[in-house]
Structures are given as structure tokens and as C-alpha cells.
Amino acid sequence: LDIEAMVDRLTGGDPRTLARALSLVENRAPEVKELVSRLFSRERSAAMVGLTGPPGAGKSTLADTLAGMARESGRTVAILAIDPTSPLTGGALLGDRARMDAASRDPSIFVRSMASRGHVGGLASAAFEALILLEASGKDFILVETVGAGQDEVEVASAVDVTVLVLAPGLGDEVQAAKAGILEVADVLVVNKADRDGADELAADLHAVAGTRPVERTVATTGAGVDALYAAIAGLEPRRNRFMEVWLWDVIQTKVRERISESALREVLKRLEARELTPYEAAEELLDGES
Amino acid sequence: LDIEAMVDRLTGGDPRTLARALSLVENRAPEVKELVSRLFSRERSAAMVGLTGPPGAGKSTLADTLAGMARESGRTVAILAIDPTSPLTGGALLGDRARMDAASRDPSIFVRSMASRGHVGGLASAAFEALILLEASGKDFILVETVGAGQDEVEVASAVDVTVLVLAPGLGDEVQAAKAGILEVADVLVVNKADRDGADELAADLHAVAGTRPVERTVATTGAGVDALYAAIAGLEPRRNRFMEVWLWDVIQTKVRERISESALREVLKRLEARELTPYEAAEELLDGES
């Protein structure tokens, strides 16, 4: 793998190189570190918007409509969807351009699903590495869509410039409860499917907790209200302070694992199982025994 | 706080002491480490069953019905519900005995909601510490219910003896997609709300991926099929090998954070923001600079 050539083609905006580089990130290839390091020192340029919320809220359709608007205003656009994945079903469950209408009409919108492989650690790194690659390839408006409300996904969605929480009426109380955790970190609250029964109640609930944050009503399938949402996003002061911190902890966690040998881990786990030492003692032993 | 007295009362089965100890765990009180260490060296005795699946699948009702069955067969029972929580709404969203019918009729079933506070790390530790406390207090059948399908929650649900994945028809494709990640680690697959339209299709889908694992059909609200599920759970060989490993990594992660000084972190983050060093370099620096 010629990293030098890849950097050149990627910064030149070649979509095939970008796609190939993102596959390396997704597969946690060892070359990623060098590639990202080479691209990392460039000046930051892209606006990164996170869309999150429960399944069924219509995040993909909303991302697509927002992407179309960004294109119309002359921006270069990418959508990165972090998907839950299953080895049994073989890869990302949502196709790269599934249900993406604007994206399928406009091939200059770069759309990519990336599987979150379910092991602890690595999701944040993979997502942030992908964002650095997208930015380096010249995209200046990047939408990051996270399915579900897992802790790591919330971390990623809340670590970008602007975080949009997408809810919809009729998903049930328990589903709405899944918004907890992300509600605090969201910059914009959205009632999507706002033409449905229950939209007024949901909007009222959100207004009650929104404080000074905007609450937008959208119908992503028709585009209604999405222009106001786009304007609300554009009007916000971007914050990126959490980006580096979340990424850094993820890298630290991965490094700590790499430094602990498999044999030391197995030995300690055996004694833990036998309850000969506590997890607190075991952790000290592994950390202090690290080379 | 008199740890000695707490250990005595807790191992004596006093529910108020147990409740108080669980609050210490939930609030990450510094005394927890000593308390859990004191109780940890006891022989393991409880069967721990994880119930997980998307919101709306009926996990709480199913946990309640299973708990009632375990009581009838003379076991001492606890239900631990790991809830997403929001500072804005103030605490766990599901009440301790909300919608729990058997539990409200039988006060000997210990029911506890525990908030997952949304910060990375600590969720697994809190859950496992709570399980050790429940076990030490004499519970021999413990149901752990996790709301949603977040990575940490999946970790916890899959780290106990038996993992039950609860799905239901009509939650939509995207919701079912949330099962990804947990599908591989589930020991028993359940189609709850099996009297609804779409149950046959969902059961067929699950059978297609289940391999030799049982697929049970239940209607938790009426109890239909829950006896067969209870028997399926009881008939499985418990595995607890992942319990200690997941807990250990969580403790290690917490310890690594404690060892990195706030000032060193701030300094490194400033240089990261300025892109003067990469996250990989920053991680090395912080880990090697630790005392």
C-alpha cells in the first residue's frame, strides 16, 4: 500500500481512493494510523453535523434532504452513517444509498455506511478517522448519522460541531426514553414526521426541556421544515472541543489493551474467576505489569 | 459509613441495606470498592439472566413474569433494570416497580432500576458491582434488564450466565436492526407479543439465524409461553467467563483515567486542537507520562 500516493489522490478529491481509505478504517487496517497522521496536520475546514435519535425517527431521509440543500448552496457534501452490524447478516444493514433520494440523484454527494463492529473501543476512533479522511478529501459539509442511542454512538454524534436529535411521534414512550443521554448534548431538537398524530405533544414535551435551543418540526419525506432546520444548523456556533477528547480516550483505551499481554490477561482472569483477587487488584496488577 | 456493619446486614439479607448499598454503587461512591471487595471472595451462587432487546419489545413485563415463576419454584429473586437516564428529567425514567405486576404482588421480589449515567466507562462496573451485592444478599435468581441496544448495555447483558434477546413484531425494520451485535451473543431468542401480526415472520427470521439456539414465542402480558422460556433458560449451561473480563476492562479503563492528570490532559488537548500532534502521539504521551 502506497500511503504517499493515497494521500495525494485523496486530497485531490478522488472518490474511489476515499472509498478505499474508508474501508481500511472500517477494517481497522494498520496503515490507517499513518494515513490519518499524514492528513491530520491539515487545517480544519469541514462543518460536521451529527444526526442521532431512535430507530424509525427518519434520520436517513432527513440527512438526505439536508445534503441536497447543502449541495444547492454549493457545498461539497458527505453523509457518513454509522450502522450496527452483525456478522450473521454480513455487514452494514443499511445500504450506502438505501432510501437516499437526493444522494442517488446527485452522485457528488458522497454517501458511506460504516459498520460499528460491536467490540468496545474503536467505534469512536473509526468514526473520527473517517471524518478526517472525508475532510481531507475536500468535503465541507459532513453529516454523521448514528443509528440507535448506544453510548458510543451518542459519544460520536455529540463530539462533532452541531448535534441534532431527531425524534418522531408514535414511537412509544420507551423509544422516546432512549433519547435520554443525548437530550443534554443536542444543540437542535427535531420533531420529524411532524404531520402525524402526536407531533404537537412531542413538540411541547421538547419545548419544555429545550431551554434556548431550537425545536424544529420537519417532514423529511416532503422536505417541509427542513429549510428552517438547515438554517438553524448553519446559524449555530460550531463547537469541536469534544471531538479530540473523545477520540483521544478511544485511542488510549486501544493502546492500553495492546500493552497488556494475552498471557498475563488469561492468568489474571483465572484468578478472578476463582475469586482469588478482586477486579480492582487485577486491574492494578495488569497496568503495573505492563512493559 | 461502617462497611463492616453493612457487610453483615447485607449478607443477612436486609433489603434496606441492599437498597442503600446499590445507591452507593449507582452514585459511584468511593466506599463501593471496599464493600464489593469484602463481598467478592464469597463463593458464587446466583444464576444471572440478561434480558435485552429494543425498546417496546416488552422486556420489563417478561422479566416480571419470569420473576414470578422463579419465586413459585422457591428461588429468591431480584430484577435489576439498567435504565438510560437524563439529568434533565431527573433520574431513571422507569420507576422501580413500574408495570411490574408479580413484583408488586410479591414484595420478596427485589426490584431495582439503576441509571446508566451516560459517561463512558463505569456502566459495566456499576452493573457488576450491583450483581455482586445482590448475590451476596442471598438472591439466587437475578434478572438483568437492559433498555436499548447500546454497546455497553449489550456488554453487560451478554456477560451474565444466560442472555435472552427479546424482540417483538411491528417494531419496524430499523428497530429490528438494533438487534445486531446482540444477536450473536444471545443464548435464547424470544418473539414476545407473539399474538400480534408479524410474529410468524419474525419467528421465521430468527429461526433462520438461530442455529441450535431455542426460539421461544411469548405473550408476556398473559404469561403464554413464558413457562417454556423459563424452562429453556433453566436448561442452559451457564457461562460466566465473560463477566470478569468485561468488568476487568471497565475497571482498567477507569484506573487509566484516574492516573492521567487533568492538567496533562488539558495541555495535550490544546496541542491536539491545534493539530500539533496526532491522537496516537497524544495517547502515547499521556500513557508514558503517567506516574
Side-chain angles (χ1 to χ4, degrees):
Chain A
L1 195 75
D2 185 346
I3 297 281
E4 197 62 44
M6 204 161 201
V7 167
D8 283 349
R9 281 199 292 262
L10 200 141
T11 55
D14 177 42
R16 286 179 59 189
T17 305
L18 176 58
R20 197 170 151 227
L22 289 171
S23 294
L24 293 176
V25 166
E26 190 175 27
N27 297 322
R28 314 306 298 134
E31 298 90 348
V32 167
K33 211 164 128 173
E34 193 188 336
L35 181 64
V36 172
S37 294
R38 288 290 308 278
L39 298 166
F40 185 76
S41 57
R42 296 160 59 87
E43 214 176 317
R44 108 161 245 213
S45 51
M48 300 177 185
V49 177
L51 292 180
T52 192
K59 296 181 294 296
S60 295
T61 313
L62 201 55
D64 181 59
T65 311
L66 288 168
M69 284 181 184
R71 276 301 296 146
E72 275 165 33
S73 67
R75 302 172 87 166
T76 50
V77 180
I79 300 174
L80 178 70
I82 313 284
D83 281 354
T85 199
S86 157
L88 290 178
T89 54
L93 286 162
L94 310 173
D96 277 355
R97 282 173 183 268
R99 290 169 302 160
M100 295 231 170
D101 195 47
S104 59
R105 283 196 315 267
D106 183 350
S108 76
I109 299 177
F110 185 91
V111 182
R112 172 76 185 214
S113 291
M114 210 167 66
S116 67
R117 301 226 180 263
H119 38 63
V120 165
L123 173 62
S125 286
F128 296 141
E129 285 162 353
L131 287 173
I132 294 292
L133 297 186
L134 289 166
E135 185 179 56
S137 81
K139 304 302 174 192
D140 54 31
F141 186 76
I142 306 174
L143 288 155
V144 187
E145 182 198 336
T146 60
V147 176
Q151 209 156 304
D152 288 349
E153 290 167 358
V154 167
E155 283 278 311
V156 169
S158 65
V160 293
D161 297 326
V162 173
T163 304
V164 180
L165 172 64
V166 186
L167 298 174
L171 293 180
D173 280 351
E174 270 198 283
V175 170
Q176 302 298 344
K179 69 180 183 291
I182 191 72
L183 189 54
E184 305 64 55
V185 295
D187 302 299
V188 182
L189 310 176
V190 174
V191 178
N192 191 33
K193 306 185 182 180
D195 52 349
R196 295 207 182 165
D197 282 351
D200 292 342
E201 292 78 358
L202 180 56
D205 284 353
L206 289 182
H207 272 294
V209 296
T212 58
R213 296 176 290 178
V215 177
E216 301 293 337
R217 301 173 62 125
T218 59
V219 184
T221 47
T222 66
V226 185
D227 47 351
L229 172 60
Y230 185 77
I233 292 168
L236 283 167
E237 190 64 40
R239 51 139 172 70
R240 180 111 65 130
N241 48 327
R242 277 179 48 73
F243 186 115
M244 294 299 169
E245 191 167 353
V246 173
W247 188 1
L248 178 60
W249 282 119
D250 201 68
V251 174
I252 287 175
Q253 196 183 342
T254 306
K255 249 180 224 305
V256 167
R257 293 208 176 202
E258 284 169 3
R259 288 180 177 196
I260 292 172
S261 79
E262 193 60 26
S263 60
L265 177 63
R266 288 301 134 205
E267 171 62 24
V268 155
L269 280 173
K270 216 180 290 173
R271 289 160 62 204
L272 259 180
E273 280 295 336
R275 299 205 178 184
E276 290 168 15
L277 81 182
T278 67
Y280 317 112
E281 293 163 343
E284 298 276 1
E285 201 171 304
L286 287 176
L287 283 174
D288 295 334
E290 74 187 28
S291 55
Chain B
L1 195 74
D2 186 345
I3 298 281
E4 197 62 43
M6 204 162 200
V7 167
D8 284 349
R9 281 198 293 261
L10 200 142
T11 54
D14 176 43
R16 286 179 58 189
T17 304
L18 176 59
R20 199 171 148 222
L22 289 171
S23 293
L24 294 177
V25 166
E26 190 174 29
N27 296 322
R28 315 306 298 132
E31 298 89 348
V32 167
K33 208 164 131 175
E34 193 189 337
L35 182 63
V36 171
S37 294
R38 289 290 307 277
L39 297 166
F40 184 75
S41 56
R42 297 159 59 88
E43 216 176 314
R44 105 163 246 215
S45 50
M48 299 176 184
V49 176
L51 292 180
T52 193
K59 295 182 295 298
S60 295
T61 312
L62 201 56
D64 181 59
T65 311
L66 288 168
M69 284 180 185
R71 276 302 295 145
E72 275 165 33
S73 66
R75 302 173 87 166
T76 51
V77 180
I79 300 173
L80 178 70
I82 312 285
D83 282 354
T85 200
S86 156
L88 289 178
T89 55
L93 285 162
L94 310 172
D96 277 355
R97 281 170 186 271
R99 288 169 304 160
M100 295 232 170
D101 194 47
S104 59
R105 282 196 316 268
D106 182 349
S108 76
I109 298 176
F110 185 91
V111 182
R112 172 76 185 214
S113 291
M114 211 165 68
S116 67
R117 301 225 179 264
H119 36 65
V120 164
L123 173 62
S125 286
F128 296 142
E129 284 162 353
L131 288 173
I132 294 292
L133 298 185
L134 289 167
E135 184 179 57
S137 81
K139 305 302 175 193
D140 54 32
F141 187 75
I142 305 174
L143 289 154
V144 188
E145 182 198 337
T146 59
V147 176
Q151 208 158 306
D152 288 349
E153 290 168 358
V154 167
E155 284 278 311
V156 169
S158 65
V160 292
D161 298 326
V162 174
T163 303
V164 180
L165 172 63
V166 185
L167 299 173
L171 293 180
D173 280 352
E174 270 197 283
V175 170
Q176 302 299 345
K179 71 180 182 292
I182 191 73
L183 190 55
E184 306 65 53
V185 295
D187 303 297
V188 183
L189 310 177
V190 174
V191 178
N192 191 33
K193 305 184 182 181
D195 53 349
R196 296 207 181 164
D197 281 351
D200 291 343
E201 291 79 358
L202 180 56
D205 285 352
L206 290 182
H207 271 295
V209 295
T212 58
R213 296 176 290 178
V215 178
E216 301 292 337
R217 299 174 62 126
T218 59
V219 184
T221 47
T222 67
V226 184
D227 46 350
L229 172 61
Y230 185 77
I233 292 169
L236 283 168
E237 191 64 41
R239 54 140 169 69
R240 180 111 67 128
N241 49 326
R242 276 179 49 73
F243 185 115
M244 294 299 169
E245 190 167 351
V246 173
W247 188 0
L248 178 60
W249 282 119
D250 201 69
V251 174
I252 287 174
Q253 197 183 339
T254 306
K255 248 180 226 305
V256 167
R257 291 207 177 202
E258 283 168 2
R259 287 180 178 197
I260 293 172
S261 79
E262 192 61 26
S263 61
L265 177 64
R266 288 302 131 204
E267 171 62 26
V268 156
L269 280 174
K270 215 179 290 172
R271 289 161 61 206
L272 259 179
E273 280 296 336
R275 301 204 176 185
E276 291 168 15
L277 79 183
T278 68
Y280 318 110
E281 293 163 342
E284 298 276 1
E285 200 170 304
L286 286 176
L287 283 174
D288 296 334
E290 76 187 26
S291 57

